[in-house]
């Protein structure tokens, strides 16, 4: 029996994997996507929900934006609240761009539907057990993947393998075995409790609220479903946050003139831990990593999905050229192209997080300095513009505004 061959094997059907498989297909390069979870799991897991202009442009330009266009909440600004006084950051006013609140699982549904409609192959409930041959440098060398599904264990060969299997990536280790490879990490002394609520909108735009009692974020999912977050301790469990405590803290941290947090049935609660990590390089021979498999950002500013999509926008053209023209010059620059943007997003997420969160037990000096920093940004035209530029994502070279 001959072993089946595909140009590109993609491990993981998250935002990075599905976007890559779609972009490759549009340029005539076929791939197979492997995903350990069920399709239902992928389509229902709750994650963040902000799409930067670059991500929106990619969806629109590649024909996946139709439902997003109808259902997403397009926002031209955000509000930052300091002790009940709110300042608007005009994203569009300062940058000419906007963002959209559209849940990550909706993004995934759209890409899965499109890949399947285009005849794409997504193997759900299938685990890649091993990848060998990634260091093969000669033309014609291939990688061999062994994978297991309900029917048993199989093999497949691929010219290139892209591991986009999330923050606990199984394949990142192969990259880190290389001499000089590193994973730079940072932990934060706080976390978020995220809730989904059946309630009307609290405010037309997102509110990032900083308060002595801790940070809170008012976001949305639809007219009738709201997404709220509260700063909590990293060790907290959902049981320590009964509904009454959630409402008391949200009102305390967010309510201000003209804004009262809208209450309703809480139907989802989970604790999100804060971590930063960057792996470099993001390539070893024929193996590439992207998205959360390569880097993690804390949720403040919601850069995670956008960064995954930006990685793919950097990787796809190199892969296409390598497969079609057997020219790997662009592909071999992938880490150098992607990493500067990743570090900028890492800085922005760290900066927003540390400026907006009270550190448990922080000194009066540190608390005062932090507020001084936030006031300096909010009261300055240049400060608001800087924040707006970083928030919408500055580098949008691949897919122009439509
Ligand atoms: C969300 O809606 O999940 C969200 C929005 C903004 C953030 C983070 C998360 O900064």
């Amino acid at each position: 029996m001959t072993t089946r061959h595909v140009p590109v094997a993609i491990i993981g059907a998250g935002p990075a994997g599905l976007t890559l498989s779609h972009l490759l297909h549009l340029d005539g390069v076929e791939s197979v996507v492997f995903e350990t979870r069920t399709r239902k799991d992928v389509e229902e897991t709750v994650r963040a929900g902000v799409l930067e202009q670059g991500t929106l442009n990619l969806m629109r330009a590649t024909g996946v934006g139709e439902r997003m266009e109808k259902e997403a909440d397009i926002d031209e600004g955000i509000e930052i609240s300091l002790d009940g006084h709110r300042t608007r950051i005009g994203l569009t006013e300062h940058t000419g761009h906007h963002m959209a609140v559209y849940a990550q699982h909706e993004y995934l549904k759209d890409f899965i539907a499109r890949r399947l409609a285009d005849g794409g192959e997504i193997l759900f409930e299938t685990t890649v057990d091993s990848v060998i041959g990634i260091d093969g440098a000669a033309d014609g060398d291939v990688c061999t993947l062994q994978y297991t599904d309900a029917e048993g264990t199989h093999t497949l060969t691929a010219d290139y393998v892209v591991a986009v299997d999330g923050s606990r990536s199984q394949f990142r280790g192969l990259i880190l075995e290389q001499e000089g490879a590193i994973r730079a990490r940072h932990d934060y002394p706080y976390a978020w409790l995220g809730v989904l609520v059946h309630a009307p909108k609290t405010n037309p735009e997102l509110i990032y609220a900083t308060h002595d009692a801790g940070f809170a974020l008012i976001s949305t999912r639809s007219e009738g479903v709201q997404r709220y977050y509260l700063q909590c301790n990293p060790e907290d469990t959902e049981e320590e946050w009964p509904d009454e405590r959630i409402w008391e803290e949200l009102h305390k941290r967010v309510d201000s003139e003209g804004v009262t947090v809208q209450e309703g049935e809480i139907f989802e609660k989970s604790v999100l831990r804060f971590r930063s990590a960057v792996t470099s390089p993001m390539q070893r021979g024929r193996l590439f990593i992207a998205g959360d498999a390569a880097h993690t950002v804390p949720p403040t500013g919601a850069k995670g999905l956008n960064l995954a999509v930006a990685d793919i926008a950097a990787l796809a053209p190199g892969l296409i050229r390598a497969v079609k023209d057997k020219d790997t010059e662009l592909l071999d620059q992938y880490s150098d192209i992607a990493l500067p943007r990743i570090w900028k997003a890492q800085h922005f997420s760290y900066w927003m997080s540390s400026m907006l969160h009270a550190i448990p037990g922080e000194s009066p000096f540190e608390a005062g300095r932090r507020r001084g920093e936030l006031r300096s940004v909010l009261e300055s035209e240049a400060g608001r513009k800087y924040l707006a530029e970083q928030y919408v994502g500055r580098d949008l070279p691949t897919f122009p505004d439509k």
Side-chain angles (χ1 to χ4, degrees), residues 293-359:
H295 42 73
T296 305
V297 287
T300 325
K303 292 283 176 207
L305 177 148
N306 298 293
L307 214 44
V309 172
D311 285 353
I312 295 311
L315 177 60
L319 276 174
I320 291 163
R321 213 202 276 177
V323 170
K324 285 182 143 175
D325 306 335
K326 308 271 176 243
D327 168 5
T328 60
E329 195 192 331
L330 183 60
L331 185 57
D332 288 334
Q333 291 170 35
Y334 164 60
S335 288
D336 292 337
I337 296 169
L339 280 163
R341 184 195 174 103
I342 292 163
W343 277 111
K344 282 188 278 179
Q346 217 34 281
H347 165 67
F348 177 71
S349 308
Y350 172 99
W351 177 62
M352 284 278 276
S353 300
S354 44
M355 194 164 59
L356 295 172
H357 291 75
I359 297 179

Side-chain angles (χ1 to χ4, degrees), residues 155-263:
T155 53
L156 170 141
T157 59
D159 297 320
Y160 299 100
V161 178
V162 182
V164 279
D165 52 341
S167 55
R168 291 194 202 97
S169 172
Q170 265 192 70
F171 298 96
R172 181 170 62 225
L174 291 171
I175 303 245
L176 286 169
E177 279 169 13
Q178 296 173 101
E179 171 133 13
I182 57 157
R183 185 153 167 90
R185 304 185 45 137
H186 180 74
D187 287 315
Y188 299 79
Y190 33 76
W192 282 359
L193 177 79
V195 296
L196 280 169
V197 184
H198 288 297
K201 266 193 189 172
T202 288
N203 194 52
E205 296 180 337
L206 269 55
I207 303 176
Y208 290 79
T210 185
H211 188 278
D212 281 341
F215 172 79
L217 169 59
I218 300 299
S219 181
T220 184
R221 284 294 176 266
S222 64
E223 281 308 318
V225 175
Q226 310 313 321
R227 180 77 166 144
Y228 301 149
Y229 296 100
L230 279 166
Q231 178 182 348
C232 66
N233 291 320
E235 306 79 37
D236 281 2
T237 59
E238 290 79 12
E239 291 72 46
E240 285 164 87
W241 286 89
D243 294 4
E244 313 78 69
R245 184 177 176 204
I246 291 171
W247 296 123
E248 189 186 314
E249 287 298 320
L250 279 169
H251 286 302
K252 190 195 312 172
R253 299 181 195 187
V254 179
D255 284 1
S256 57
E257 208 186 317
V259 169
T260 306
V261 175
Q262 296 297 296
E263 295 190 23

Side-chain angles (χ1 to χ4, degrees), residues 9-18 33-37 47 126-131 161-175 183 287-296 308 312:
I10 300 173
I11 307 173
L18 292 166
V33 179
F34 297 91
E35 172 58 55
T36 50
R37 293 173 299 160
R47 294 273 165 79
T126 302
T127 303
V128 176
D129 309 308
S130 64
V131 176
V161 178
V162 182
V164 279
D165 52 341
S167 55
R168 291 194 202 97
S169 172
Q170 265 192 70
F171 298 96
R172 181 170 62 225
L174 291 171
I175 303 245
R183 185 153 167 90
L287 172 71
F288 298 81
I289 52 173
D292 279 359
H295 42 73
T296 305
I312 295 311

